[in-house]
Amino acid sequence: MGYICFKCKRSLGPDIRALFAHLRVVHHVFSTSSYFQCAQAGCHRTFSLIRSFRRHLLEHVNEIGDEMEETPLVEPDDDSSNSVLDAMLSSEQCDELEEENLQDRVALFLTKLRSNSSQTLGAVNFVVDHTSSLISDVVGSRQRKSVSFLREIGHSESPGGQQLLEHFACAAQPFQGFESEYKQMQYFTQSGCFVQPEEVPLPGFSYTQQRDPSTGTVRQVAVRDTFQRVPLKPLLKQVLESPGTMEKIFEWQNQESTALEDFRDGTIFKTNELFSKELSIPLVLYNDDCEMVNPLGLKTSVHKLVSFYKTDDVKTYGINAVLDTVVCDIEDLELEGIQVETKHFKGTIKAGVAQVCGDNLGLNGILGYTTFLRENRVSMVSGTQRGFERTDRLTTILIYFRITQLKLASKEKCSLNKLQFYHVTYSVTPDVMHDILEGVGGYETKLVLSSLIEQKLLTLDQLNNRLTSFDYGFSDGHNKPSAIKPQDLKNPDGAIRQTAAQMWCLLRLLPLMIGDLIPEGEKHWELLLSLLSCMELIFSPALTAEAVIFLQHLIEEHHRLFLELYPDRHLKPKHHFMLHYPGAIRKLGPLVQFWCMRFEAKQGFFKRLSHVACNFHNIFGPGYTTFLGSIEDFEKVKCGFEGIPLFSDVYLPWWIKCKGTTYRSGMTLFVSHSADGEPQFATIQNIVVIDSKVKFIVKKWDTVGFDRHFFAFSVSPSSALDVVDIHSVDDHHPLHVVMSLKENENDHCISLRYRLF
């Protein structure tokens, strides 16, 4: 067989150069692309680097022998593409690294270096200098040997010899034109792919010390305060015209749902005249402090940045001094939109603000609320009175204006209110990460653990032993909670010293860790289980209208139990925010799509406090190719491969990655619901890839029922095997399987990250 194109499945003969020339000419797949896939003999392994792809192909060919030589070149149907391909092959120009695109390759190399958050600009220039010197030495050595050889054969002065010397001269200086940061930025700007930030002046001045180089004296100089602004319109245009973006937008807009699965399912989207009636993009603004230095050092808050402004500057000039420029951009996007030209779409797309996200302090700052209403912002915009919500926007806005007239709610009118399709009272976004994982969850966990330890049902050493020895499995291993110290439990109002991801892991798995030590019906333990019941719905990516009503009752029951157990303590403001979650879900859809978890992860790039890896990962991991009929236990699952010949080549990878989740053998998944609504689980035995389609061969579990004490589903092993298509599970996170601490070794428990209702 010949080399096969993974795009059109054509066989292109035994010359690997023909494959790469075909990919470039017909499919516009270049060496700078980040996705390549092997299509040889049933192999579906993917690669992000062309050199790895090429090496794999050459090794694969050696494995299958000389069959390559017997397969003729299949001509493409497009005559023009065929003629270009023939010309490239006949002139042996299959290497795309020519002089005209060498600069583009060097620019791509530099942008990857600069985008790595662990690389300073000084380090990038260091790499440029030393790499340039190394390449010059290597190429110069080869050039001298080539010139000597040409002289020996009498071709040093021939046109071909002179052309070769020119190629050497070009190759010896690949970074010509990129020697300095100024030249690099000049090239990026002229390429049209870089949106240059703009420096915008603020109204006042700051004084800084400058030394006179001639006299050595130091004097104070007034310097205009400024901030950096990236123009929103050209930036969005770059994003929208990127390959595949518009296709995803149309796919998102055309999706239909009977439940609350996305922002488009909420009432805010449906009643917004811009989003519901025109081709438009909902924008989410995010605001939060970002400490740029050691938070325990002397410079804390001096170098604190937020998404829109420097903290000291906004205290001096007000939020609107910076926000006005953003509002001008968004007003233009609302009225004029963006002219987009892609292969599949040419026209105008408008955009507007959907919500403003952030923690409570950040939202109060950007929306202009004062300390008086910081704890009541959600109540005001939700219009909640004794558990009932007003849905009349006009009433809410009138309440807002009345309070601002009394100078109780806002120091100044927020610039966002100038927008045609947005008002600050439309922002009802709670942050479940800060409210639950860094608020209510840690607070109540410490109270419950302290109560259990006081009753001598548990010791701190037992707890920490369970924390360190627990099998967290594939999906939770990197979020393993830290050991809990005695001083952490002494102050329930203080931090529990866990990250949000660690806290989520701890809350979900704590019942499985220590549930066997706690008697059933213990009241404090019931409080923790009640919170977990609420979290199942709060963190769910899809809910029905009935589930939202049920959540309201769960939250009220949880709060009543808390006050019953701890009458000397008051509910925290974050407890109060939870009462508004059902109303927010009706308006916005699932709350996890607006939480700060991913925004705060992105801040790690700006902090440069740790090495953040931003690499593209392969979709399919290493594995092996075999015949479909030779798969272990194939007779038991052959009905799942109906219509596929037994001798079809299939690829069995050790792992695959889909939508951010890595699946591998031994991982247990939620696969469906039974007729009576019970969740059904199965463990992956094999991963099978056929023509780029992924199927799991799974071993089923029999669901016994929900064990509330362990807050997990009790299951028993089954010998039944089945085949599951990845599209039926790829929207769900992998689940975690552990042995429960029961006397019967055949009993197991499965803990869910969340439930779908």
Side-chain angles (χ1 to χ4, degrees):
M1 58 182 294
Y3 285 105
I4 300 173
C5 171
F6 65 89
K7 288 285 189 179
C8 61
K9 308 304 180 185
R10 289 193 176 105
S11 177
L12 296 163
D15 192 341
I16 196 171
R17 298 177 305 162
L19 172 63
F20 288 111
H22 169 79
L23 288 172
R24 289 197 302 278
V25 174
V26 179
H27 302 294
H28 306 290
V29 176
F30 302 99
S31 62
T32 55
S33 302
S34 59
Y35 179 82
F36 305 91
Q37 183 177 15
C38 178
Q40 306 300 128
C43 179
H44 295 281
R45 187 174 176 183
T46 58
F47 304 86
S48 59
L49 297 174
I50 191 171
R51 65 174 181 270
S52 302
F53 178 47
R54 183 186 180 93
R55 182 171 61 247
H56 170 79
L57 287 176
L58 293 174
E59 292 174 353
H60 202 91
V61 169
N62 291 333
E63 292 176 2
I64 62 177
D66 299 329
E67 296 180 6
M68 300 283 294
E69 301 178 359
E70 302 174 2
T71 306
L73 176 68
V74 176
E75 307 292 345
D77 296 333
D78 189 337
D79 292 336
S80 61
S81 298
N82 186 33
S83 61
V84 175
L85 179 60
D86 288 341
M88 295 180 69
L89 290 174
S90 62
S91 61
E92 298 184 348
Q93 293 179 349
C94 289
D95 186 1
E96 66 179 272
L97 192 57
E98 301 296 331
E99 294 181 22
E100 57 269 18
N101 60 15
L102 178 59
Q103 275 196 322
D104 293 340
R105 293 287 298 277
V106 174
L108 179 64
F109 171 75
L110 291 173
T111 54
K112 288 184 177 180
L113 275 180
R114 295 170 70 99
S115 65
N116 189 323
S117 64
S118 63
Q119 297 290 340
T120 64
L121 293 179
V124 172
N125 292 330
F126 179 87
V127 170
V128 170
D129 293 340
H130 286 74
T131 304
S132 181
S133 177
L134 175 63
I135 293 175
S136 179
D137 292 343
V138 173
V139 173
S141 173
R142 295 296 180 265
Q143 180 181 6
R144 289 189 293 272
K145 291 182 179 180
S146 299
V147 169
S148 176
F149 175 73
L150 289 174
R151 285 174 181 168
E152 290 178 6
I153 63 175
H155 285 278
S156 60
E157 302 299 328
S158 65
Q162 292 299 313
Q163 186 180 21
L164 181 60
L165 294 179
E166 292 175 3
H167 288 323
F168 271 122
C170 178
Q173 297 179 317
F175 291 99
Q176 188 173 12
F178 297 94
E179 294 89 350
S180 65
E181 181 185 349
Y182 172 78
K183 291 183 177 180
Q184 293 170 20
M185 297 307 298
Q186 187 178 43
Y187 180 87
F188 297 147
T189 303
Q190 292 174 352
S191 69
C193 297
F194 175 69
V195 180
Q196 183 76 31
E198 301 173 354
E199 188 174 41
V200 182
L202 288 166
F205 294 84
S206 295
Y207 289 90
T208 182
Q209 290 185 337
Q210 290 186 0
R211 186 179 298 276
D212 190 325
S214 58
T215 64
T217 59
V218 177
R219 59 193 179 93
Q220 282 194 332
V221 178
V223 178
R224 168 74 73 175
D225 288 335
T226 63
F227 67 92
Q228 296 291 321
R229 165 183 173 270
V230 179
L232 188 56
K233 192 169 185 176
L235 181 63
L236 281 177
K237 182 176 174 65
Q238 290 279 359
V239 173
L240 294 174
E241 292 183 347
S242 299
T245 301
M246 288 306 304
E247 290 88 328
K248 290 293 183 182
I249 289 176
F250 286 124
E251 180 183 337
W252 173 76
Q253 287 193 330
N254 294 329
Q255 286 179 347
E256 296 183 0
S257 174
T258 57
L260 292 162
E261 297 180 357
D262 194 87
F263 174 62
R264 70 181 185 281
D265 300 321
T267 57
I268 286 183
F269 181 91
K270 293 177 179 178
T271 57
N272 188 292
E273 294 184 2
L274 178 64
F275 301 145
S276 61
K277 296 181 180 179
E278 297 192 52
L279 179 59
S280 56
I281 302 171
L283 301 177
V284 176
L285 303 184
Y286 172 71
N287 181 51
D288 192 17
D289 284 347
C290 178
E291 186 65 69
M292 306 302 287
V293 296
N294 180 4
L296 302 179
L298 299 178
K299 298 292 186 179
T300 300
S301 80
V302 175
H303 300 286
K304 182 178 288 188
L305 302 181
V306 282
S307 302
F308 291 109
Y309 52 84
K310 189 171 179 180
T311 303
D312 288 343
D313 290 338
V314 78
K315 289 178 181 177
T316 303
Y317 304 114
I319 179 64
N320 288 339
V322 174
L323 203 54
D324 282 342
T325 60
V326 179
V327 170
C328 289
D329 279 353
I330 299 175
E331 283 181 318
D332 185 33
L333 293 172
E334 286 182 333
L335 300 176
E336 303 297 331
I338 308 169
Q339 291 297 321
V340 176
E341 292 189 12
T342 67
K343 182 179 179 181
H344 301 285
F345 174 80
K346 291 184 181 180
T348 301
I349 300 179
K350 296 184 178 181
V353 174
Q355 287 290 286
V356 181
C357 295
D359 62 3
N360 294 308
L361 183 61
L363 284 176
N364 289 326
I366 194 172
L367 300 179
Y369 293 99
T370 64
T371 306
F372 177 80
L373 278 177
R374 281 181 179 172
E375 295 182 359
N376 300 309
R377 170 181 55 81
V378 179
S379 297
M380 185 186 73
V381 298
S382 298
T384 301
Q385 293 182 345
R386 298 182 180 179
F388 297 96
E389 289 191 320
R390 294 194 184 104
T391 57
D392 185 353
R393 283 189 178 180
L394 180 59
T395 302
T396 302
I397 295 174
L398 290 175
I399 294 173
Y400 169 85
F401 282 133
R402 177 56 180 162
I403 295 178
T404 54
Q405 287 174 355
L406 295 174
K407 298 182 179 180
L408 294 176
S410 182
K411 298 177 183 178
E412 55 182 335
K413 293 182 179 179
C414 180
S415 291
L416 291 172
N417 290 338
K418 299 176 184 177
L419 298 174
Q420 182 178 351
F421 300 102
Y422 178 82
H423 191 274
V424 295
T425 57
Y426 299 172
S427 278
V428 295
T429 308
D431 177 24
V432 295
M433 186 195 87
H434 286 98
D435 290 352
I436 304 294
L437 302 181
E438 294 185 356
V440 173
Y443 176 61
E444 294 190 0
T445 298
K446 288 194 289 185
L447 288 174
V448 170
L449 290 176
S450 297
S451 299
L452 296 177
I453 292 173
E454 288 177 5
Q455 298 178 62
K456 301 187 183 304
L457 298 175
L458 175 73
T459 67
L460 188 58
D461 287 339
Q462 281 180 308
L463 173 62
N464 285 326
N465 286 336
R466 297 286 177 94
L467 285 177
T468 55
S469 62
F470 190 77
D471 178 13
Y472 292 91
F474 297 120
S475 55
D476 287 310
H478 55 289
N479 295 323
K480 183 178 179 180
S482 302
I484 298 175
K485 299 179 180 179
Q487 55 267 33
D488 294 339
L489 300 180
K490 291 180 181 178
N491 179 20
D493 297 309
I496 198 173
R497 304 175 192 274
Q498 308 280 350
T499 67
Q502 286 178 309
M503 197 65 225
W504 194 17
C505 178
L506 176 63
L507 282 167
R508 288 185 294 104
L509 299 180
L510 191 61
L512 287 171
M513 295 180 192
I514 63 173
D516 61 307
L517 303 175
I518 314 301
E520 298 224 5
E522 206 285 326
K523 282 288 187 180
H524 299 88
W525 187 248
E526 287 295 320
L527 178 66
L528 183 66
L529 299 180
S530 176
L531 177 61
L532 288 171
S533 296
C534 297
M535 288 174 58
E536 274 194 310
L537 290 166
I538 292 169
F539 290 94
S540 177
L543 299 98
T544 61
E546 294 77 12
V548 177
I549 297 173
F550 182 51
L551 173 61
Q552 184 75 56
H553 293 292
L554 287 177
I555 294 173
E556 291 174 359
E557 289 177 2
H558 167 268
H559 288 9
R560 277 194 290 266
L561 181 58
F562 178 91
L563 293 174
E564 177 186 332
L565 293 173
Y566 304 100
D568 56 333
R569 290 187 173 274
H570 298 289
L571 291 171
K572 298 284 187 181
K574 292 178 179 179
H575 281 99
H576 174 71
F577 294 159
M578 292 175 64
L579 293 172
H580 301 285
Y581 285 1
I585 293 172
R586 294 185 186 98
K587 294 175 181 178
L588 303 174
L591 300 182
V592 289
Q593 62 186 346
F594 293 100
W595 67 346
C596 290
M597 184 78 85
R598 300 317 310 156
F599 290 114
E600 294 208 348
K602 186 63 176 177
Q603 284 185 353
F605 178 88
F606 302 103
K607 294 179 181 180
R608 297 180 183 272
L609 297 179
S610 60
H611 295 280
V612 180
C614 302
N615 299 325
F616 292 99
H617 295 283
N618 295 335
I619 298 174
F620 300 147
Y624 63 94
T625 302
T626 186
F627 293 128
L628 175 63
S630 65
I631 297 176
E632 184 180 1
D633 295 323
F634 177 76
E635 286 298 319
K636 298 180 180 179
V637 296
K638 61 182 180 181
C639 59
F641 298 96
E642 190 174 357
I644 303 175
L646 294 179
F647 293 99
S648 299
D649 288 323
V650 296
Y651 182 60
L652 274 62
W654 308 129
W655 55 265
I656 67 165
K657 189 169 185 178
C658 181
K659 295 188 178 181
T661 298
T662 301
Y663 299 89
R664 64 187 74 207
S665 297
M667 180 175 286
T668 295
L669 307 172
F670 159 75
V671 292
S672 65
H673 282 101
S674 65
D676 55 359
E678 289 286 351
Q680 303 297 300
F681 307 99
T683 300
I684 300 174
Q685 302 289 105
N686 263 317
I687 303 172
V688 182
V689 182
I690 307 175
D691 294 331
S692 299
K693 297 179 180 179
V694 180
K695 294 179 179 290
F696 296 136
I697 297 178
V698 297
K699 187 174 182 180
K700 291 184 173 182
W701 295 85
D702 291 329
T703 303
V704 178
F706 183 70
D707 191 330
R708 177 175 169 78
H709 185 73
F710 290 91
F711 210 80
F713 283 91
S714 179
V715 295
S716 60
S718 168
S719 59
L721 297 178
D722 198 3
V723 177
V724 179
D725 192 280
I726 192 172
H727 295 298
S728 64
V729 297
D730 63 1
D731 287 333
H732 313 306
H733 287 288
L735 304 177
H736 179 70
V737 176
V738 297
M739 292 288 293
S740 68
L741 302 175
K742 296 181 180 179
E743 294 182 2
N744 186 354
E745 294 183 356
N746 291 324
D747 284 343
H748 300 70
C749 283
I750 294 179
S751 171
L752 294 104
R753 287 173 177 258
Y754 48 72
R755 295 181 68 180
L756 299 177
F757 292 86

